[in-house]
Amino acid sequence: MAEIRWETVPCPLCHAQAATTVLELSTSPWGRPLTLRQCRECTLGYLSPRPVRADLGLLYAQDYEAYQPTPVKPLNWRRRLAERFERWVCQAHLNYPPRRDGLWPRLATWPLRLWFTPPPDALMAIPYTGQGRLLDCGCGAGWYLARMQARGWDVMGLDFSPHAVQAAREHYGLDVHVGSLPHPLVGPASFDVVTLGQVLEHVPDPHELIAAAVTALRPGGRLALSVPNLASWGRAAFGPYWWPLQLPLHLLHFTPTAMQRLLADHGLGVRELRMMRMTNWMQRSWQLGEADRWRQQPPPLPRWLGRRRLTAKLLTHWTRLQGQADGMRVLAEKPAQAPPLPAHRAA
C-alpha cells in the first residue's frame, strides 16, 4: 500500500485557526496519531493533520461497507402488497406521481401511514418535486438510488469508486458514473433534488461540494443530506468508541450550528433539520468499546444494561427527543429567484 501524505489545515468551513482538541487517538492503523479538532468560531469538527486530497482514495478498500450491494430479494405477495401500500401513501402525502390530491385520498391512506410511510428522518421521506430528476452524489453501490427509481424518480448517481459504480450498474441497472460534483455530465439547473447521504463528512472542502450541488439544482430545487452529529450524546458518552467517528475516513464532523452556517453561506434555506434514529450506530459504538474492553473510556452504562438491543433503542429515541442524536438529516431549498445583490455590489 502506498504511503499516505498528511497536511495540517485550518477550519475547512470558516478558515479560522483557533480550535480545541476534541480527542486524539495516540495509536491507529495508519501509523500516526489522529486528532479531531473543533473550531471555536463555527463549531465544525475536523481532522488535522489529515491526508492530502490526492491520497484520500487510498483510505477506501473495495470491501468498504458502502460499496457492497444489497441482495435483491424476490417479490412475494407480501412484499408486493407492502410496496403497493407504500406507493399509495407516498402519492397522497409526499406528492408522488400519479398524485392523489384531495381530502379523501389522505383520509383513506391515513391508517396505512403507521406502517408504510418512510421514517420522517430518513432520506427516503423527501417529497417528490418538479419533474422528479434526482441526483445522488456518493451513491455507493446504489441501494438508495434503486429504491427511489422504483418509486418513480428519474435518477442518476455519482461515486468516485469505480468498484461501487460497477456494482450499481450490474446489480440494479442504474445510470451511475465515476466522479463527484462538479461533474461534466451534470449541467446547471438540471436536477430537482440532489442527495448527499453520509457523504459530506468525507470531503476535504464542504464549500466546493455544496456550491456544485446548488449549481446542479434548478431554482426551487432541494438539497437533502445526512451527516453524523458531533453535538450528540453518543459522541460525549462513547468518546473514541463513537461509531460515526471513523477517523481518518471522516474528515469533517458537523454540529447543527455548523451545518446551518454552511448552507446559509450558499444561499440555501433550511426547511427541515431532523435528528436521525440510528439504533445500529448506538449498538456499534457499544461493541467497539466492548472489543477494546473500555480501556480508553469507561462505559456510559452498566455492561449488563448496555449490551441489550432494547437499551440501544431507548437511548436512540431519548437522544433524538433531546436534539442530541448520533445523526441529522437536513432538507434545504434553493431560492426560486436569485437574491438581490447587496447595495454596495449592485452599484
Side-chain angles (χ1 to χ4, degrees):
M1 181 176 179
E3 183 177 354
I4 295 176
R5 296 164 293 175
W6 299 77
E7 62 179 353
T8 301
V9 296
C11 172
L13 177 55
C14 71
H15 309 296
Q17 297 284 349
T20 302
T21 298
V22 176
L23 61 84
E24 183 172 6
L25 303 181
S26 56
T27 59
S28 74
W30 309 98
R32 60 169 300 131
L34 300 175
T35 304
L36 177 64
R37 310 179 191 276
Q38 186 170 22
C39 178
R40 296 177 185 173
E41 297 292 330
C42 68
T43 74
L44 178 76
Y46 60 98
L47 180 68
S48 182
R50 71 184 188 188
V52 300
R53 181 189 289 257
D55 292 348
L56 289 177
L58 300 176
L59 302 177
Y60 300 88
Q62 288 191 2
D63 61 355
Y64 181 57
E65 185 176 0
Y67 296 164
Q68 312 311 310
T70 302
V72 179
K73 299 179 181 179
L75 282 177
N76 54 33
W77 69 269
R78 293 181 180 178
R79 290 193 63 221
R80 292 179 191 275
L81 190 61
E83 290 190 358
R84 179 173 296 182
F85 287 161
E86 186 178 273
R87 284 198 300 270
W88 289 350
V89 170
C90 289
Q91 289 163 7
H93 300 276
L94 292 176
N95 200 40
Y96 279 54
R99 293 178 57 180
R100 298 178 182 269
D101 296 323
L103 178 61
W104 287 114
R106 289 178 175 271
L107 290 177
T109 56
W110 191 264
L112 299 177
R113 295 191 68 182
L114 297 175
W115 294 278
F116 299 104
T117 301
D121 54 357
L123 288 180
M124 305 291 295
I126 58 177
Y128 192 93
T129 182
Q131 302 300 311
R133 288 276 291 154
L134 184 148
L135 172 67
D136 188 26
C137 183
C139 64
W143 174 87
Y144 171 76
L145 267 187
R147 289 293 305 275
M148 299 305 275
Q149 185 180 64
R151 291 183 176 187
W153 290 86
D154 180 9
V155 303
M156 175 178 169
L158 299 174
D159 200 284
F160 71 77
S161 166
H163 175 75
V165 168
Q166 181 180 1
R169 290 173 176 172
E170 291 181 354
H171 285 80
Y172 303 115
L174 294 169
D175 180 21
V176 180
H177 306 274
V178 177
S180 183
L181 288 173
H183 195 279
L185 296 178
V186 179
S190 55
F191 286 91
D192 300 292
V193 172
V194 173
T195 55
L196 301 169
Q198 309 298 332
V199 170
L200 201 55
E201 63 269 27
H202 293 264
V203 303
D205 185 353
H207 289 289
E208 179 183 15
L209 182 56
I210 296 299
V214 172
T215 299
L217 284 172
R218 64 165 179 81
R222 294 172 180 175
L223 172 67
L225 60 89
S226 59
V227 292
N229 176 21
L230 184 65
S232 67
W233 177 88
R235 205 286 304 165
F238 292 106
Y241 304 119
W242 187 50
W243 171 256
L245 192 62
Q246 296 191 29
L247 302 179
L249 300 181
H250 290 182
L251 306 176
L252 308 178
H253 286 274
F254 289 87
T255 64
T257 299
M259 177 58 67
Q260 290 175 329
R261 173 166 179 167
L262 172 63
L263 298 177
D265 285 348
H266 295 272
L268 293 166
V270 176
R271 294 174 59 92
E272 292 180 353
L273 194 157
R274 292 179 177 268
M275 294 289 111
M276 298 178 67
R277 291 171 290 184
M278 305 299 291
T279 302
N280 61 327
W281 287 6
M282 191 75 70
Q283 288 184 291
R284 288 182 172 188
S285 296
W286 186 270
Q287 291 165 0
L288 282 178
E290 288 283 277
D292 197 46
R293 299 183 180 180
W294 301 99
R295 289 182 298 178
Q296 300 183 53
Q297 183 160 329
L301 296 171
R303 295 191 178 189
W304 66 269
L305 183 61
R307 293 186 179 121
R308 286 159 171 75
R309 178 170 174 78
L310 177 60
T311 303
K313 286 186 175 181
L314 293 175
L315 276 176
T316 301
H317 182 66
W318 175 75
T319 56
R320 184 177 65 87
L321 293 177
Q322 297 296 314
Q324 297 178 329
D326 279 342
M328 55 182 168
R329 192 216 72 176
V330 185
L331 184 63
E333 187 171 88
K334 180 178 179 178
Q337 295 181 348
L341 290 174
H344 69 278
R345 290 185 61 187

